Amino acid sequence: MTTGLILSGGGARAAYQVGVMRAAIEIHGRDTLPFDVICGTSAGAINAAFIAANAHRPREGLEALYRTWRGISPGDVYDPRWRAVIGSLARIALAPLRRGERAAPRSLLDSEPLRGMLRNWLDFDAVRQNLARGALQSLCITAMDYATGTSVAFYEGGGVAPWDRIYRRGEPARLGPEHVMASAAIPILFPAQRIGDAFYGDGALRQLHPISPALKLGASRLFVIGVSTRRVDAPEMLDRRRPTIGQMAGHMLNREFIDNLEADILLAQRINALADVVGAQGHDAPGTQHIETLVITPSQPFNAIAAAYMQAQPRSMRLLFRLLGAGPQGAGASFASYLMFDGNFCARLMDLGYADTMRERDRVEAFLNV
């Protein structure tokens, strides 16, 4: 049986995945990676590529990834200087007065620092060595083609033929930092990234079936790490005030990064139930594939955690949050959490991921040690 690891997007929230993976490798108890296929989207693509590069030594790799996230700062991902942030806002405000394509604003933030960070973090030569030695079967990074609106799963390894479906396709590629940059280019916040002749944005966009690439690459068992709690606040805890731009943006990001994954997992579970019923009646269920899934999600909402760290963010970002109405309440803090590449905040998320996984130790052990 082929086991896939699904690392969803979510900006700085992806730090949670590192804590989950540290605990999973510890529970696994072996110095081998228990996953054959790794699929990463958005910031999850960063973790996916790092884990793939260390597939031959997963325990050491996860400890190194933890330290790296623990030491991250906003300046490693985007330019938080006043000149850069105010300059972007000014270009947006003055765009109607200018002419030509070059005058059009590209994004709110400059993500060029991320490119330098990825060169230091990620070793794609090591990824290919692990693919060649069999420590890993496939690595997949998803991005969206802005011209066609197609979700493109760039993959390396596995010997799987390309696929082409409505608004999604699989394309073999020699993966590199540009694929991760494209996958992590959150729309409006970060500029589109060029791969070949096309421009790509965040992989969560138009990714209607987030688990599909792993299935196409041969996985029949999926270990899925989400970045949002499934708990719904009690009615008396809800913020009933008129929503701000920041709050609305928070819900839009949650829709792209979280809801599609939840819906796809629910669909897989329904297909499993249908296949079980049909099989129990002695019939085959054409077109159905039984998919074993284990899903780890945060036990606490990230909004409350993010609110405690908003004052620690660069002053320019605090100004941007205020301008958008992304305060420490509700979806406003949710929006801010996507951009909180702060070592202390990320450490809190990683520690939460570790604790959440350890609470599920029996389930995780049974899933990984088949």
Side-chain angles (χ1 to χ4, degrees):
M1 293 182 289
T2 301
T3 304
L5 172 65
I6 308 293
L7 300 176
S8 59
R13 292 170 171 233
Y16 177 84
Q17 300 167 352
V18 181
V20 173
M21 285 299 299
R22 287 182 75 211
I25 293 301
E26 182 177 326
I27 293 170
H28 182 51
R30 308 171 194 172
D31 200 24
T32 56
L33 189 69
F35 307 106
D36 309 291
V37 175
I38 302 178
C39 296
T41 300
S42 192
I46 300 175
N47 291 334
F50 196 102
I51 293 170
N54 291 274
H56 61 297
R57 49 169 194 173
R59 190 183 298 271
E60 294 177 34
L62 264 300
E63 291 305 314
L65 187 56
Y66 176 88
R67 292 192 299 271
T68 304
W69 274 97
R70 183 67 180 83
I72 201 171
S73 67
D76 292 324
V77 180
Y78 53 83
D79 190 343
R81 294 176 300 174
W82 282 106
R83 178 179 179 180
V85 176
I86 297 298
S88 294
L89 294 174
R91 282 191 293 275
I92 293 173
L94 297 174
L97 306 178
R98 297 177 177 177
R99 294 182 179 180
E101 181 182 350
R102 298 185 64 180
R106 299 286 188 263
S107 62
L108 280 174
L109 299 172
D110 176 10
S111 62
E112 195 59 28
L114 177 61
R115 195 181 309 277
M117 185 186 75
L118 294 181
R119 291 195 186 101
N120 293 327
W121 277 30
L122 306 180
D123 185 350
F124 283 93
D125 288 336
V127 171
R128 278 178 275 279
Q129 290 173 8
N130 283 330
L131 290 171
R133 63 166 59 108
L136 181 70
Q137 180 176 309
S138 304
L139 171 64
C140 176
I141 295 174
T142 301
M144 189 206 70
D145 185 339
Y146 271 114
T148 64
T150 301
S151 176
V152 183
F154 296 102
Y155 64 93
E156 188 165 357
V160 176
W163 63 88
D164 194 351
R165 300 291 184 270
I166 298 177
Y167 290 118
R168 54 192 172 99
R169 73 175 190 266
E171 185 175 311
R174 183 178 175 85
L175 297 175
E178 67 275 13
H179 295 90
V180 178
M181 283 288 294
S183 184
I186 301 175
I188 301 176
L189 297 177
F190 298 148
Q193 300 294 316
R194 182 192 289 272
I195 300 176
D197 296 329
F199 285 93
Y200 292 84
D202 198 288
L205 295 173
R206 303 300 294 270
Q207 193 181 33
L208 301 179
H209 299 286
I211 69 175
S212 175
L215 301 180
K216 291 290 186 182
L217 293 170
S220 58
R221 308 173 68 251
L222 301 178
F223 188 90
V224 184
I225 307 177
V227 292
S228 178
T229 181
R230 295 180 170 183
R231 180 178 68 82
V232 178
D233 288 336
E236 63 272 14
M237 297 177 62
L238 299 178
D239 186 355
R240 298 296 187 183
R241 293 173 296 179
R242 185 182 298 276
T244 65
I245 292 176
Q247 289 174 306
M248 290 185 282
H251 284 297
M252 290 175 65
L253 290 176
N254 291 344
R255 167 67 178 85
E256 296 296 335
F257 288 107
I258 298 166
D259 293 354
N260 284 344
L261 178 62
E262 296 283 355
D264 216 21
I265 293 170
L266 180 59
L267 177 61
Q269 293 171 344
R270 288 176 175 172
I271 292 175
N272 286 346
L274 174 62
D276 291 342
V277 170
V278 173
Q281 296 176 349
H283 303 291
D284 292 329
T288 62
Q289 174 186 358
H290 197 283
I291 305 165
E292 183 182 356
T293 60
L294 176 61
V295 183
I296 302 292
T297 58
S299 59
Q300 301 175 27
F302 287 173
N303 299 359
I305 300 175
Y309 290 90
M310 289 188 72
Q311 290 304 311
Q313 303 312 299
R315 293 178 61 189
S316 59
M317 295 306 298
R318 299 205 307 267
L319 171 64
L320 179 61
F321 294 152
R322 286 198 299 272
L323 289 175
L324 297 176
Q329 302 294 325
S334 177
F335 169 76
S337 71
Y338 286 90
L339 294 172
M340 284 189 181
F341 292 94
D342 174 280
N344 293 323
F345 173 65
C346 292
R348 279 282 302 274
L349 300 191
M350 289 189 288
D351 292 344
L352 178 62
Y354 183 90
D356 287 346
T357 308
M358 282 301 183
R359 275 193 291 271
E360 300 283 349
R361 184 181 189 113
D362 291 343
R363 292 177 59 227
V364 173
E365 186 172 17
F367 182 88
L368 296 181
N369 296 329
V370 293

